[in-house]
Amino acid sequence: MSKAIERKKAVVEEIARKLNDSASAILYDYRGLTVEEVTELRSKFREAGIDYKVYKNTLVSRAAEMAGMDDLKEVLTGPNAIAFSYEDPVSAAKIGSEFAKEHKNLELKAGIVEGEFFNEEQVKELASIPSREVLVAKLLGSIKSPVANFAYLLQAIVDKQEEAS
């Protein structure tokens, strides 16, 4: 086998592994973005621990087939990049969606989230979910609120009894 075919096989295996190992893999059409804009987007993804790569559609198609994610093959048209998020399934969609608000040339296409195919609308819905940190803070706030209110009530009772004495 030629070295080119060996390299392509290795890339297909790498993509398939990333698809299987990632919490989410979001597909973007980056056509029309300037080099500076792509660099900025890569930087935002890198800061969040997200792997952003551009692959040939034929290689992604073969990898999707190998990974059992055939639905992804339907949206592989035009220039595409994939953002692989390994920990937070929402972050790749959220960062890309925020970036697309300022840069109209970035287009969310589809994604694989925890092994399930998400179309464009589903990925946009996913991007609107608050981050894990925000959800945890809200949960802790709602747990803390009744306890704090109870503590204030007890203190008010104690203060009232002290005034009466």
Side-chain angles (χ1 to χ4, degrees):
M1 244 190 278
S2 74
K3 287 188 178 190
I5 292 175
E6 289 292 325
R7 279 192 300 252
K8 287 180 181 179
K9 275 188 167 183
V11 171
V12 168
E13 289 171 3
E14 171 191 332
I15 299 167
R17 181 180 44 76
K18 286 181 177 187
L19 286 171
N20 284 321
D21 293 349
S22 61
S24 67
I26 308 299
L27 191 70
Y28 293 98
D29 182 340
Y30 62 92
R31 189 181 353 210
L33 290 179
T34 65
V35 173
E36 292 82 17
E37 290 170 332
V38 171
T39 303
E40 180 186 347
L41 179 60
R42 281 183 190 276
S43 175
K44 288 179 187 274
F45 280 134
R46 194 175 314 114
E47 287 171 11
I50 297 168
D51 189 15
Y52 177 81
K53 293 272 192 173
V54 175
Y55 295 107
K56 289 188 174 188
N57 289 339
T58 54
L59 300 180
V60 175
S61 178
R62 288 193 178 126
E65 191 173 312
M66 183 185 289
M69 301 175 183
D70 293 328
D71 292 336
L72 193 60
K73 292 166 51 173
E74 297 172 17
V75 294
L76 293 173
T77 57
N80 295 302
I82 305 176
F84 298 97
S85 179
Y86 297 100
E87 293 177 19
D88 182 9
V90 177
S91 59
K94 184 174 283 307
I95 291 169
S97 180
E98 290 296 319
F99 192 84
K101 288 178 185 175
E102 300 169 16
H103 304 87
K104 299 298 180 198
N105 289 331
L106 184 67
E107 181 183 322
L108 248 128
K109 293 181 82 173
I112 302 291
V113 180
E114 296 181 343
E116 298 293 321
F117 178 79
F118 277 44
N119 63 27
E120 180 183 352
E121 271 65 34
Q122 291 170 314
V123 172
K124 287 181 179 177
E125 282 179 35
L126 179 69
S128 68
I129 294 173
S131 70
R132 183 174 187 267
E133 291 79 18
V134 170
L135 291 174
V136 168
K138 285 183 178 182
L139 174 66
L140 291 176
S142 56
I143 290 171
K144 179 187 153 212
S145 180
V147 173
N149 289 341
F150 183 68
Y152 292 134
L153 176 65
L154 287 177
Q155 187 61 47
I157 292 171
V158 168
D159 291 345
K160 191 170 187 168
Q161 286 179 349
E162 286 177 358
E163 288 176 9
S165 318

